[in-house]
Amino acid sequence: MPEIAPHIARMPGSGVRHILERALRRPGTIILAVGEPGEVAGERIRDAASQAWQDGAIRYTPNGGIRALREAIRDKLARENGLEVDLEQVWVTVGATQALHLAMALTLSQGDEVLVPDPGYTTFTMNAHLLQATPVPYPLRPERAFQPDLGELESLVTPRTRALIVNTPSNPLGSTFDRETLEALIALARRHDLWLISDEVYERFTWGEPHVSPATLDADGRVLSVFSMSKTYAMTGARVGWLVTPVGWRPTMLRVQESVVSCVDEPSQRAAVEALTGDQTAVAHSAAHYRDNLAAATSLLDARGLRYLDPTGAFYLWIDVSHVSGGDVVSWCERFLDEQGVAVAPGSAFGASGEGWIRVCVASDRAELLEGLGRIPAPA
């Protein structure tokens, strides 16, 4: 029998999914490992998708998405992000996952290097391997509050470096980059003629300074921006995101989108239109719920003497369990699940710098969240 391509065999799996699959086989598990909003998408949003099915709107749409959705996205970017784009820069994708894959596929060739945050979202590294590129981690360390060391980051650039990935607010860290940091990263990309791929999936959930979109600081069209409906509107299963490209990429995007997915299904797109153009009270409610959960959770961790990164965005807590993990946080997470019935994501699943840490999603029921956190062994 023929074998699959060697670079696919070398592609790492998801350490988060490994824990989740294990947890799903154990009834009664408290699952804090996956970034799933606890809410259900609003009734108007669900009705819009349902009506599309009733109308028979289940045929092909334009590659870039239905016009109503692209217009809603364009208007949203101008209103909330301060980013002025035309419709031909907006490409509706199968979630931010496809948008991220597209951004990397458009900018990386075999053997190219891409700078990825460490700890960082697992798909950054997985995509690089899938595309036969080389992910080069840039460490985000606790002694710097998990902010990038610009000198160290620049030292990682080589003649093969083609792109830099920036994720703010961060999954898994719950940290954010301020305007000054983003300006420095844009300047670094300009000095070395790099693409900058910006993952902004958690843009609506910041706990201090407002979110800054890197593309608003870009003077020469080197930023590709990735967004999603999933977390903001509790639409993770609807699979709607979008990629914002530089000006003039329409002919390329038509070919690439057609070859990958053709288009996103219209019922999900109609739901996204309703979400973006309708009342935003539910988003504010979700943000308040996550903020309150974070406050309750950090209060519990403080009382128990557990170290964590003070979150400034997203809905995650990054918690230090090095006092019990013994240098192998994956094995500890497996034992914690088996013995205590709580699923948390091992920090090393997000990069080598995550060893000794865990990621906890706080978007679930508060009582369940606090119960799960209360089972983490406190330092002696």
Side-chain angles (χ1 to χ4, degrees):
M1 287 291 292
E3 297 182 352
I4 62 172
H7 73 280
I8 299 297
R10 294 191 296 269
M11 180 180 172
S14 169
V16 179
R17 279 285 169 180
H18 167 72
I19 289 291
L20 177 61
E21 295 296 331
R22 194 178 179 114
L24 293 175
R25 296 194 297 268
R26 188 186 187 284
T29 296
I30 296 174
I31 298 179
L32 306 177
V34 183
E36 183 77 73
E39 293 86 354
V40 175
E43 185 176 4
R44 293 179 298 99
I45 298 171
R46 289 179 279 125
D47 284 347
S50 177
Q51 188 60 53
W53 280 96
Q54 295 299 321
D55 293 344
I58 49 174
R59 299 184 182 277
Y60 290 124
T61 73
N63 292 129
I66 60 175
R67 185 177 183 87
L69 179 52
R70 298 175 87 184
E71 289 177 343
I73 291 169
R74 177 199 60 194
D75 295 346
K76 178 266 182 210
L77 291 171
R79 182 177 65 250
E80 297 177 9
N81 301 78
L83 184 58
E84 300 287 343
V85 300
D86 62 49
L87 289 188
E88 298 307 327
Q89 292 177 258
V90 176
W91 295 83
V92 179
T93 58
V94 183
T97 301
Q98 191 220 338
L100 179 63
H101 184 269
L102 270 181
M104 295 178 72
L106 287 159
T107 56
L108 298 172
S109 298
Q110 182 178 353
D112 285 344
E113 294 176 350
V114 53
L115 296 163
V116 301
D118 177 10
Y121 184 45
T122 56
T123 301
F124 301 152
T125 296
M126 295 172 74
N127 274 345
H129 283 285
L130 185 61
L131 295 166
Q132 301 189 62
T134 301
V136 177
Y138 62 90
L140 303 173
R141 296 191 172 92
E143 58 267 26
R144 292 183 57 86
F146 295 95
Q147 296 293 300
D149 181 323
L150 273 297
E152 181 179 27
L153 175 53
E154 190 150 20
S155 74
L156 297 172
V157 177
T158 76
R160 293 196 301 166
T161 308
R162 289 275 290 163
L164 164 66
I165 295 181
V166 172
N167 177 208
T168 179
S170 166
N171 172 14
L173 297 171
S175 60
T176 54
F177 293 170
D178 61 18
R179 178 179 294 272
E180 182 180 1
T181 299
L182 292 172
E183 288 174 341
L185 291 169
I186 291 280
L188 183 151
R190 186 177 301 116
R191 281 194 300 276
H192 297 282
D193 198 23
L194 307 179
W195 297 106
L196 189 146
I197 299 171
S198 175
D199 178 343
E200 303 178 47
V201 167
Y202 295 89
E203 56 164 337
R204 295 293 292 270
F205 305 124
T206 59
W207 321 122
E209 295 298 317
H211 173 70
V212 177
S213 289
T216 62
L217 310 174
D218 176 26
D220 49 5
R222 68 179 63 253
V223 175
L224 291 85
S225 305
V226 172
F227 296 88
S228 176
M229 302 295 295
S230 293
K231 314 299 181 176
T232 303
Y233 297 100
M235 292 174 60
T236 54
R239 311 309 303 136
V240 181
W242 66 90
L243 175 66
V244 181
T245 72
V247 174
W249 283 31
R250 182 176 185 273
T252 297
M253 291 300 299
L254 286 170
R255 298 195 308 272
V256 174
Q257 183 79 326
E258 177 67 21
S259 71
V260 178
V261 296
S262 181
C263 60
V264 176
D265 71 279
E266 185 163 349
S268 291
Q269 292 192 62
R270 286 203 194 179
V273 172
E274 179 60 37
L276 289 170
T277 60
D279 183 80
Q280 301 294 297
T281 301
V283 179
H285 174 79
S286 295
H289 172 61
Y290 303 149
R291 188 172 57 245
D292 290 347
N293 274 10
L294 282 166
T298 55
S299 179
L300 174 63
L301 296 176
D302 286 337
R304 304 192 65 239
L306 286 159
R307 180 189 183 205
Y308 61 90
L309 173 65
D310 191 24
T312 54
F315 47 56
Y316 300 108
L317 272 172
W318 187 247
I319 304 171
D320 184 357
V321 295
S322 59
H323 59 287
V324 290
S325 61
D328 184 356
V329 73
V330 171
S331 295
W332 180 83
C333 286
E334 292 173 349
R335 292 195 303 274
F336 187 54
L337 171 59
D338 294 340
E339 297 170 6
Q340 297 294 329
V342 183
V344 295
S348 59
F350 304 99
S353 297
E355 180 55 56
W357 296 75
I358 58 173
R359 187 197 72 176
V360 167
C361 176
V362 306
S364 60
D365 174 76
R366 188 173 307 164
E368 191 171 71
L369 168 66
L370 297 179
E371 176 63 29
L373 292 176
R375 297 181 191 179
I376 299 174

